[in-house]
Amino acid sequence: MNNWNFTGNLGHSAEQKDVSGTSLVTFSVAVKTGYGKNETTTWARCNMWGTRGEAVLPFLKKGQLVGICGEVSLHEWAGKDGTAKAVIEVRVNDLTLLGKRDDAA
């Protein structure tokens, strides 16, 4: 079973595009772990396909706190300068709107 459950804040408002006739809504979520000087942030690029993504698009604004459950994959490649690059992608199966950060615009 490949599921990742996490909560975090959107780094930017969600975007929608058409991929081969199917709607794709994308957004990035900042997932924080640790505390104090040991706190780290991991970014997850999230994808929602079809009408489910379209339905929540108006609510996915920068700073929105969300709960996500989905299938995770790691994509790795070498940058033009030879450095290792990686991105975590999540195909969202379930999304819960949890509220906004106090300082969200």
Side-chain angles (χ1 to χ4, degrees):
M1 180 181 266
N2 177 11
N3 270 332
W4 187 27
N5 298 306
F6 60 96
T7 60
N9 294 94
L10 269 66
H12 60 82
S13 296
E15 299 173 351
Q16 180 182 18
K17 56 184 154 186
D18 182 70
V19 178
S20 301
T22 302
S23 174
L24 172 62
V25 173
T26 61
F27 53 95
S28 294
V29 177
V31 183
K32 294 186 178 186
T33 57
Y35 59 93
K37 67 180 183 175
N38 295 321
E39 184 177 83
T40 60
T41 301
T42 301
W43 287 93
R45 184 184 305 163
C46 299
N47 301 313
M48 287 188 80
W49 292 89
T51 56
R52 290 179 356 142
E54 292 173 356
V56 296
L57 179 64
F59 305 102
L60 297 177
K61 302 296 182 196
K62 180 177 180 176
Q64 174 70 48
L65 181 63
V66 293
I68 302 285
C69 177
E71 300 170 30
V72 67
S73 58
L74 177 66
H75 300 282
E76 299 176 294
W77 69 96
K80 291 181 182 179
D81 60 358
T83 60
K85 308 274 185 184
V87 64
I88 295 172
E89 282 194 352
V90 179
R91 182 176 180 144
V92 177
N93 295 327
D94 188 36
L95 178 140
T96 304
L97 300 170
L98 299 172
K100 284 192 169 192
R101 287 190 330 207
D102 292 337
D103 61 342

PDB file of all heavy atoms in Angstrom, residues 42-75:
ATOM      1  N   THR A  42       9.395  20.074   4.236  1.00  0.00           N
ATOM      2  CA  THR A  42       9.435  19.273   3.019  1.00  0.00           C
ATOM      3  C   THR A  42       8.279  19.713   2.146  1.00  0.00           C
ATOM      4  O   THR A  42       7.157  19.848   2.627  1.00  0.00           O
ATOM      5  CB  THR A  42       9.290  17.769   3.349  1.00  0.00           C
ATOM      6  OG1 THR A  42      10.353  17.397   4.230  1.00  0.00           O
ATOM      7  CG2 THR A  42       9.330  16.922   2.104  1.00  0.00           C
ATOM      8  N   TRP A  43       8.545  19.946   0.866  1.00  0.00           N
ATOM      9  CA  TRP A  43       7.502  20.368  -0.066  1.00  0.00           C
ATOM     10  C   TRP A  43       6.978  19.173  -0.838  1.00  0.00           C
ATOM     11  O   TRP A  43       7.752  18.347  -1.320  1.00  0.00           O
ATOM     12  CB  TRP A  43       8.050  21.417  -1.031  1.00  0.00           C
ATOM     13  CG  TRP A  43       8.240  22.729  -0.365  1.00  0.00           C
ATOM     14  CD1 TRP A  43       9.370  23.200   0.232  1.00  0.00           C
ATOM     15  CD2 TRP A  43       7.244  23.743  -0.185  1.00  0.00           C
ATOM     16  NE1 TRP A  43       9.147  24.436   0.773  1.00  0.00           N
ATOM     17  CE2 TRP A  43       7.850  24.802   0.514  1.00  0.00           C
ATOM     18  CE3 TRP A  43       5.915  23.870  -0.559  1.00  0.00           C
ATOM     19  CZ2 TRP A  43       7.163  25.965   0.853  1.00  0.00           C
ATOM     20  CZ3 TRP A  43       5.238  25.025  -0.235  1.00  0.00           C
ATOM     21  CH2 TRP A  43       5.857  26.061   0.470  1.00  0.00           C
ATOM     22  N   ALA A  44       5.665  19.084  -0.937  1.00  0.00           N
ATOM     23  CA  ALA A  44       5.010  18.028  -1.708  1.00  0.00           C
ATOM     24  C   ALA A  44       4.217  18.672  -2.842  1.00  0.00           C
ATOM     25  O   ALA A  44       3.389  19.549  -2.593  1.00  0.00           O
ATOM     26  CB  ALA A  44       4.079  17.211  -0.817  1.00  0.00           C
ATOM     27  N   ARG A  45       4.487  18.252  -4.070  1.00  0.00           N
ATOM     28  CA  ARG A  45       3.722  18.705  -5.228  1.00  0.00           C
ATOM     29  C   ARG A  45       2.510  17.781  -5.358  1.00  0.00           C
ATOM     30  O   ARG A  45       2.660  16.571  -5.499  1.00  0.00           O
ATOM     31  CB  ARG A  45       4.572  18.642  -6.490  1.00  0.00           C
ATOM     32  CG  ARG A  45       3.866  19.201  -7.705  1.00  0.00           C
ATOM     33  CD  ARG A  45       4.667  19.052  -8.966  1.00  0.00           C
ATOM     34  NE  ARG A  45       5.993  19.634  -8.854  1.00  0.00           N
ATOM     35  CZ  ARG A  45       6.981  19.364  -9.687  1.00  0.00           C
ATOM     36  NH1 ARG A  45       6.806  18.509 -10.685  1.00  0.00           N
ATOM     37  NH2 ARG A  45       8.152  19.934  -9.534  1.00  0.00           N
ATOM     38  N   CYS A  46       1.316  18.362  -5.269  1.00  0.00           N
ATOM     39  CA  CYS A  46       0.083  17.572  -5.249  1.00  0.00           C
ATOM     40  C   CYS A  46      -0.692  17.726  -6.551  1.00  0.00           C
ATOM     41  O   CYS A  46      -0.749  18.814  -7.128  1.00  0.00           O
ATOM     42  CB  CYS A  46      -0.793  18.010  -4.084  1.00  0.00           C
ATOM     43  SG  CYS A  46      -0.013  17.772  -2.474  1.00  0.00           S
ATOM     44  N   ASN A  47      -1.304  16.622  -7.001  1.00  0.00           N
ATOM     45  CA  ASN A  47      -2.096  16.594  -8.225  1.00  0.00           C
ATOM     46  C   ASN A  47      -3.479  16.017  -7.936  1.00  0.00           C
ATOM     47  O   ASN A  47      -3.581  14.963  -7.307  1.00  0.00           O
ATOM     48  CB  ASN A  47      -1.425  15.708  -9.284  1.00  0.00           C
ATOM     49  CG  ASN A  47      -0.037  16.163  -9.635  1.00  0.00           C
ATOM     50  OD1 ASN A  47       0.188  17.336  -9.872  1.00  0.00           O
ATOM     51  ND2 ASN A  47       0.907  15.237  -9.655  1.00  0.00           N
ATOM     52  N   MET A  48      -4.516  16.715  -8.395  1.00  0.00           N
ATOM     53  CA  MET A  48      -5.893  16.202  -8.308  1.00  0.00           C
ATOM     54  C   MET A  48      -6.473  16.212  -9.716  1.00  0.00           C
ATOM     55  O   MET A  48      -6.495  17.250 -10.378  1.00  0.00           O
ATOM     56  CB  MET A  48      -6.761  17.068  -7.398  1.00  0.00           C
ATOM     57  CG  MET A  48      -6.460  16.917  -5.941  1.00  0.00           C
ATOM     58  SD  MET A  48      -7.660  17.772  -4.894  1.00  0.00           S
ATOM     59  CE  MET A  48      -8.989  16.566  -4.902  1.00  0.00           C
ATOM     60  N   TRP A  49      -6.969  15.086 -10.162  1.00  0.00           N
ATOM     61  CA  TRP A  49      -7.489  14.934 -11.508  1.00  0.00           C
ATOM     62  C   TRP A  49      -9.012  15.011 -11.533  1.00  0.00           C
ATOM     63  O   TRP A  49      -9.675  14.590 -10.594  1.00  0.00           O
ATOM     64  CB  TRP A  49      -7.046  13.600 -12.099  1.00  0.00           C
ATOM     65  CG  TRP A  49      -5.586  13.522 -12.349  1.00  0.00           C
ATOM     66  CD1 TRP A  49      -4.625  13.103 -11.475  1.00  0.00           C
ATOM     67  CD2 TRP A  49      -4.904  13.889 -13.544  1.00  0.00           C
ATOM     68  NE1 TRP A  49      -3.388  13.184 -12.056  1.00  0.00           N
ATOM     69  CE2 TRP A  49      -3.526  13.657 -13.332  1.00  0.00           C
ATOM     70  CE3 TRP A  49      -5.327  14.377 -14.785  1.00  0.00           C
ATOM     71  CZ2 TRP A  49      -2.573  13.906 -14.312  1.00  0.00           C
ATOM     72  CZ3 TRP A  49      -4.368  14.619 -15.758  1.00  0.00           C
ATOM     73  CH2 TRP A  49      -3.012  14.390 -15.517  1.00  0.00           C
ATOM     74  N   GLY A  50      -9.559  15.524 -12.622  1.00  0.00           N
ATOM     75  CA  GLY A  50     -10.994  15.475 -12.886  1.00  0.00           C
ATOM     76  C   GLY A  50     -11.821  16.475 -12.106  1.00  0.00           C
ATOM     77  O   GLY A  50     -11.335  17.493 -11.615  1.00  0.00           O
ATOM     78  N   THR A  51     -13.098  16.144 -11.957  1.00  0.00           N
ATOM     79  CA  THR A  51     -14.060  17.061 -11.358  1.00  0.00           C
ATOM     80  C   THR A  51     -13.835  17.275  -9.867  1.00  0.00           C
ATOM     81  O   THR A  51     -14.208  18.313  -9.337  1.00  0.00           O
ATOM     82  CB  THR A  51     -15.503  16.575 -11.578  1.00  0.00           C
ATOM     83  OG1 THR A  51     -15.620  15.238 -11.058  1.00  0.00           O
ATOM     84  CG2 THR A  51     -15.858  16.560 -13.056  1.00  0.00           C
ATOM     85  N   ARG A  52     -13.200  16.327  -9.194  1.00  0.00           N
ATOM     86  CA  ARG A  52     -12.917  16.523  -7.761  1.00  0.00           C
ATOM     87  C   ARG A  52     -11.970  17.692  -7.562  1.00  0.00           C
ATOM     88  O   ARG A  52     -12.151  18.512  -6.671  1.00  0.00           O
ATOM     89  CB  ARG A  52     -12.330  15.257  -7.141  1.00  0.00           C
ATOM     90  CG  ARG A  52     -13.324  14.129  -7.030  1.00  0.00           C
ATOM     91  CD  ARG A  52     -12.746  12.861  -6.451  1.00  0.00           C
ATOM     92  NE  ARG A  52     -11.323  12.981  -6.218  1.00  0.00           N
ATOM     93  CZ  ARG A  52     -10.683  12.462  -5.175  1.00  0.00           C
ATOM     94  NH1 ARG A  52     -11.321  11.767  -4.298  1.00  0.00           N
ATOM     95  NH2 ARG A  52      -9.395  12.619  -5.030  1.00  0.00           N
ATOM     96  N   GLY A  53     -10.953  17.781  -8.389  1.00  0.00           N
ATOM     97  CA  GLY A  53     -10.028  18.898  -8.317  1.00  0.00           C
ATOM     98  C   GLY A  53     -10.703  20.214  -8.662  1.00  0.00           C
ATOM     99  O   GLY A  53     -10.480  21.238  -8.023  1.00  0.00           O
ATOM    100  N   GLU A  54     -11.556  20.191  -9.687  1.00  0.00           N
ATOM    101  CA  GLU A  54     -12.286  21.394 -10.090  1.00  0.00           C
ATOM    102  C   GLU A  54     -13.174  21.894  -8.958  1.00  0.00           C
ATOM    103  O   GLU A  54     -13.326  23.102  -8.760  1.00  0.00           O
ATOM    104  CB  GLU A  54     -13.140  21.114 -11.323  1.00  0.00           C
ATOM    105  CG  GLU A  54     -12.338  20.853 -12.576  1.00  0.00           C
ATOM    106  CD  GLU A  54     -13.204  20.404 -13.739  1.00  0.00           C
ATOM    107  OE1 GLU A  54     -14.430  20.213 -13.559  1.00  0.00           O
ATOM    108  OE2 GLU A  54     -12.652  20.237 -14.836  1.00  0.00           O
ATOM    109  N   ALA A  55     -13.770  20.977  -8.198  1.00  0.00           N
ATOM    110  CA  ALA A  55     -14.697  21.342  -7.128  1.00  0.00           C
ATOM    111  C   ALA A  55     -14.000  22.075  -5.982  1.00  0.00           C
ATOM    112  O   ALA A  55     -14.578  22.980  -5.377  1.00  0.00           O
ATOM    113  CB  ALA A  55     -15.403  20.094  -6.592  1.00  0.00           C
ATOM    114  N   VAL A  56     -12.763  21.717  -5.683  1.00  0.00           N
ATOM    115  CA  VAL A  56     -12.068  22.347  -4.557  1.00  0.00           C
ATOM    116  C   VAL A  56     -11.147  23.495  -4.984  1.00  0.00           C
ATOM    117  O   VAL A  56     -10.632  24.217  -4.144  1.00  0.00           O
ATOM    118  CB  VAL A  56     -11.265  21.313  -3.722  1.00  0.00           C
ATOM    119  CG1 VAL A  56     -12.188  20.307  -3.067  1.00  0.00           C
ATOM    120  CG2 VAL A  56     -10.211  20.634  -4.557  1.00  0.00           C
ATOM    121  N   LEU A  57     -10.970  23.674  -6.279  1.00  0.00           N
ATOM    122  CA  LEU A  57     -10.065  24.707  -6.794  1.00  0.00           C
ATOM    123  C   LEU A  57     -10.301  26.086  -6.183  1.00  0.00           C
ATOM    124  O   LEU A  57      -9.348  26.742  -5.762  1.00  0.00           O
ATOM    125  CB  LEU A  57     -10.156  24.766  -8.327  1.00  0.00           C
ATOM    126  CG  LEU A  57      -9.284  25.816  -9.011  1.00  0.00           C
ATOM    127  CD1 LEU A  57      -7.807  25.526  -8.787  1.00  0.00           C
ATOM    128  CD2 LEU A  57      -9.607  25.876 -10.493  1.00  0.00           C
ATOM    129  N   PRO A  58     -11.565  26.561  -6.062  1.00  0.00           N
ATOM    130  CA  PRO A  58     -11.775  27.905  -5.498  1.00  0.00           C
ATOM    131  C   PRO A  58     -11.325  28.053  -4.043  1.00  0.00           C
ATOM    132  O   PRO A  58     -11.112  29.165  -3.567  1.00  0.00           O
ATOM    133  CB  PRO A  58     -13.289  28.099  -5.594  1.00  0.00           C
ATOM    134  CG  PRO A  58     -13.769  27.096  -6.573  1.00  0.00           C
ATOM    135  CD  PRO A  58     -12.812  25.957  -6.510  1.00  0.00           C
ATOM    136  N   PHE A  59     -11.166  26.948  -3.324  1.00  0.00           N
ATOM    137  CA  PHE A  59     -10.818  26.992  -1.908  1.00  0.00           C
ATOM    138  C   PHE A  59      -9.325  26.815  -1.651  1.00  0.00           C
ATOM    139  O   PHE A  59      -8.861  27.007  -0.531  1.00  0.00           O
ATOM    140  CB  PHE A  59     -11.583  25.910  -1.143  1.00  0.00           C
ATOM    141  CG  PHE A  59     -13.058  25.994  -1.344  1.00  0.00           C
ATOM    142  CD1 PHE A  59     -13.711  25.124  -2.203  1.00  0.00           C
ATOM    143  CD2 PHE A  59     -13.804  26.965  -0.693  1.00  0.00           C
ATOM    144  CE1 PHE A  59     -15.075  25.209  -2.402  1.00  0.00           C
ATOM    145  CE2 PHE A  59     -15.170  27.062  -0.888  1.00  0.00           C
ATOM    146  CZ  PHE A  59     -15.808  26.183  -1.746  1.00  0.00           C
ATOM    147  N   LEU A  60      -8.566  26.437  -2.664  1.00  0.00           N
ATOM    148  CA  LEU A  60      -7.140  26.141  -2.492  1.00  0.00           C
ATOM    149  C   LEU A  60      -6.303  27.383  -2.754  1.00  0.00           C
ATOM    150  O   LEU A  60      -5.706  27.554  -3.806  1.00  0.00           O
ATOM    151  CB  LEU A  60      -6.731  24.988  -3.415  1.00  0.00           C
ATOM    152  CG  LEU A  60      -7.421  23.660  -3.127  1.00  0.00           C
ATOM    153  CD1 LEU A  60      -7.001  22.609  -4.142  1.00  0.00           C
ATOM    154  CD2 LEU A  60      -7.129  23.186  -1.714  1.00  0.00           C
ATOM    155  N   LYS A  61      -6.267  28.260  -1.765  1.00  0.00           N
ATOM    156  CA  LYS A  61      -5.535  29.526  -1.846  1.00  0.00           C
ATOM    157  C   LYS A  61      -4.282  29.459  -0.988  1.00  0.00           C
ATOM    158  O   LYS A  61      -4.206  28.697  -0.015  1.00  0.00           O
ATOM    159  CB  LYS A  61      -6.417  30.694  -1.372  1.00  0.00           C
ATOM    160  CG  LYS A  61      -7.711  30.841  -2.143  1.00  0.00           C
ATOM    161  CD  LYS A  61      -7.468  31.172  -3.588  1.00  0.00           C
ATOM    162  CE  LYS A  61      -8.791  31.364  -4.325  1.00  0.00           C
ATOM    163  NZ  LYS A  61      -8.628  31.325  -5.759  1.00  0.00           N
ATOM    164  N   LYS A  62      -3.298  30.284  -1.318  1.00  0.00           N
ATOM    165  CA  LYS A  62      -2.047  30.335  -0.576  1.00  0.00           C
ATOM    166  C   LYS A  62      -2.325  30.468   0.930  1.00  0.00           C
ATOM    167  O   LYS A  62      -3.151  31.273   1.347  1.00  0.00           O
ATOM    168  CB  LYS A  62      -1.207  31.524  -1.043  1.00  0.00           C
ATOM    169  CG  LYS A  62       0.108  31.641  -0.323  1.00  0.00           C
ATOM    170  CD  LYS A  62       0.938  32.779  -0.846  1.00  0.00           C
ATOM    171  CE  LYS A  62       2.248  32.847  -0.074  1.00  0.00           C
ATOM    172  NZ  LYS A  62       3.126  33.876  -0.607  1.00  0.00           N
ATOM    173  N   GLY A  63      -1.653  29.648   1.733  1.00  0.00           N
ATOM    174  CA  GLY A  63      -1.806  29.675   3.179  1.00  0.00           C
ATOM    175  C   GLY A  63      -2.855  28.725   3.717  1.00  0.00           C
ATOM    176  O   GLY A  63      -2.868  28.439   4.908  1.00  0.00           O
ATOM    177  N   GLN A  64      -3.745  28.205   2.852  1.00  0.00           N
ATOM    178  CA  GLN A  64      -4.807  27.287   3.272  1.00  0.00           C
ATOM    179  C   GLN A  64      -4.201  26.050   3.925  1.00  0.00           C
ATOM    180  O   GLN A  64      -3.301  25.428   3.370  1.00  0.00           O
ATOM    181  CB  GLN A  64      -5.647  26.879   2.063  1.00  0.00           C
ATOM    182  CG  GLN A  64      -6.685  25.810   2.341  1.00  0.00           C
ATOM    183  CD  GLN A  64      -7.827  26.311   3.193  1.00  0.00           C
ATOM    184  OE1 GLN A  64      -8.373  27.356   2.920  1.00  0.00           O
ATOM    185  NE2 GLN A  64      -8.179  25.559   4.194  1.00  0.00           N
ATOM    186  N   LEU A  65      -4.674  25.684   5.102  1.00  0.00           N
ATOM    187  CA  LEU A  65      -4.240  24.465   5.781  1.00  0.00           C
ATOM    188  C   LEU A  65      -5.077  23.308   5.256  1.00  0.00           C
ATOM    189  O   LEU A  65      -6.313  23.393   5.219  1.00  0.00           O
ATOM    190  CB  LEU A  65      -4.413  24.610   7.299  1.00  0.00           C
ATOM    191  CG  LEU A  65      -3.987  23.419   8.152  1.00  0.00           C
ATOM    192  CD1 LEU A  65      -2.493  23.155   8.006  1.00  0.00           C
ATOM    193  CD2 LEU A  65      -4.343  23.668   9.609  1.00  0.00           C
ATOM    194  N   VAL A  66      -4.405  22.241   4.811  1.00  0.00           N
ATOM    195  CA  VAL A  66      -5.099  21.089   4.249  1.00  0.00           C
ATOM    196  C   VAL A  66      -4.573  19.796   4.851  1.00  0.00           C
ATOM    197  O   VAL A  66      -3.432  19.717   5.309  1.00  0.00           O
ATOM    198  CB  VAL A  66      -4.948  21.026   2.707  1.00  0.00           C
ATOM    199  CG1 VAL A  66      -5.671  22.173   2.027  1.00  0.00           C
ATOM    200  CG2 VAL A  66      -3.493  20.977   2.294  1.00  0.00           C
ATOM    201  N   GLY A  67      -5.420  18.785   4.845  1.00  0.00           N
ATOM    202  CA  GLY A  67      -5.033  17.421   5.168  1.00  0.00           C
ATOM    203  C   GLY A  67      -5.098  16.624   3.879  1.00  0.00           C
ATOM    204  O   GLY A  67      -6.083  16.721   3.145  1.00  0.00           O
ATOM    205  N   ILE A  68      -4.064  15.867   3.581  1.00  0.00           N
ATOM    206  CA  ILE A  68      -3.953  15.143   2.316  1.00  0.00           C
ATOM    207  C   ILE A  68      -3.708  13.667   2.584  1.00  0.00           C
ATOM    208  O   ILE A  68      -2.933  13.314   3.468  1.00  0.00           O
ATOM    209  CB  ILE A  68      -2.785  15.681   1.461  1.00  0.00           C
ATOM    210  CG1 ILE A  68      -2.935  17.161   1.177  1.00  0.00           C
ATOM    211  CG2 ILE A  68      -2.603  14.875   0.185  1.00  0.00           C
ATOM    212  CD1 ILE A  68      -3.955  17.526   0.157  1.00  0.00           C
ATOM    213  N   CYS A  69      -4.342  12.829   1.792  1.00  0.00           N
ATOM    214  CA  CYS A  69      -4.048  11.403   1.746  1.00  0.00           C
ATOM    215  C   CYS A  69      -3.888  11.060   0.277  1.00  0.00           C
ATOM    216  O   CYS A  69      -4.766  11.398  -0.536  1.00  0.00           O
ATOM    217  CB  CYS A  69      -5.161  10.582   2.379  1.00  0.00           C
ATOM    218  SG  CYS A  69      -4.872   8.799   2.266  1.00  0.00           S
ATOM    219  N   GLY A  70      -2.783  10.435  -0.084  1.00  0.00           N
ATOM    220  CA  GLY A  70      -2.591  10.105  -1.488  1.00  0.00           C
ATOM    221  C   GLY A  70      -1.401   9.204  -1.726  1.00  0.00           C
ATOM    222  O   GLY A  70      -0.651   8.863  -0.813  1.00  0.00           O
ATOM    223  N   GLU A  71      -1.247   8.844  -3.005  1.00  0.00           N
ATOM    224  CA  GLU A  71      -0.156   7.983  -3.437  1.00  0.00           C
ATOM    225  C   GLU A  71       1.067   8.849  -3.706  1.00  0.00           C
ATOM    226  O   GLU A  71       1.006   9.806  -4.458  1.00  0.00           O
ATOM    227  CB  GLU A  71      -0.552   7.236  -4.708  1.00  0.00           C
ATOM    228  CG  GLU A  71      -1.762   6.357  -4.526  1.00  0.00           C
ATOM    229  CD  GLU A  71      -2.281   5.808  -5.841  1.00  0.00           C
ATOM    230  OE1 GLU A  71      -1.474   5.605  -6.768  1.00  0.00           O
ATOM    231  OE2 GLU A  71      -3.486   5.591  -5.933  1.00  0.00           O
ATOM    232  N   VAL A  72       2.173   8.507  -3.093  1.00  0.00           N
ATOM    233  CA  VAL A  72       3.388   9.314  -3.183  1.00  0.00           C
ATOM    234  C   VAL A  72       4.404   8.664  -4.118  1.00  0.00           C
ATOM    235  O   VAL A  72       4.490   7.435  -4.215  1.00  0.00           O
ATOM    236  CB  VAL A  72       4.002   9.541  -1.778  1.00  0.00           C
ATOM    237  CG1 VAL A  72       4.523   8.256  -1.184  1.00  0.00           C
ATOM    238  CG2 VAL A  72       5.083  10.584  -1.830  1.00  0.00           C
ATOM    239  N   SER A  73       5.131   9.523  -4.836  1.00  0.00           N
ATOM    240  CA  SER A  73       6.242   9.052  -5.663  1.00  0.00           C
ATOM    241  C   SER A  73       7.365  10.077  -5.589  1.00  0.00           C
ATOM    242  O   SER A  73       7.129  11.269  -5.376  1.00  0.00           O
ATOM    243  CB  SER A  73       5.805   8.828  -7.110  1.00  0.00           C
ATOM    244  OG  SER A  73       5.282  10.009  -7.667  1.00  0.00           O
ATOM    245  N   LEU A  74       8.578   9.615  -5.739  1.00  0.00           N
ATOM    246  CA  LEU A  74       9.760  10.466  -5.706  1.00  0.00           C
ATOM    247  C   LEU A  74      10.387  10.447  -7.084  1.00  0.00           C
ATOM    248  O   LEU A  74      10.679   9.386  -7.632  1.00  0.00           O
ATOM    249  CB  LEU A  74      10.761   9.957  -4.663  1.00  0.00           C
ATOM    250  CG  LEU A  74      12.074  10.716  -4.561  1.00  0.00           C
ATOM    251  CD1 LEU A  74      11.820  12.143  -4.056  1.00  0.00           C
ATOM    252  CD2 LEU A  74      13.043   9.990  -3.652  1.00  0.00           C
ATOM    253  N   HIS A  75      10.576  11.627  -7.664  1.00  0.00           N
ATOM    254  CA  HIS A  75      11.209  11.751  -8.976  1.00  0.00           C
ATOM    255  C   HIS A  75      12.577  12.395  -8.775  1.00  0.00           C
ATOM    256  O   HIS A  75      12.678  13.469  -8.183  1.00  0.00           O
ATOM    257  CB  HIS A  75      10.348  12.596  -9.915  1.00  0.00           C
ATOM    258  CG  HIS A  75       8.999  12.016 -10.145  1.00  0.00           C
ATOM    259  ND1 HIS A  75       8.770  10.963 -10.993  1.00  0.00           N
ATOM    260  CD2 HIS A  75       7.793  12.326  -9.612  1.00  0.00           C
ATOM    261  CE1 HIS A  75       7.489  10.658 -10.990  1.00  0.00           C
ATOM    262  NE2 HIS A  75       6.871  11.471 -10.146  1.00  0.00           N
TER     263      HIS A  75
END
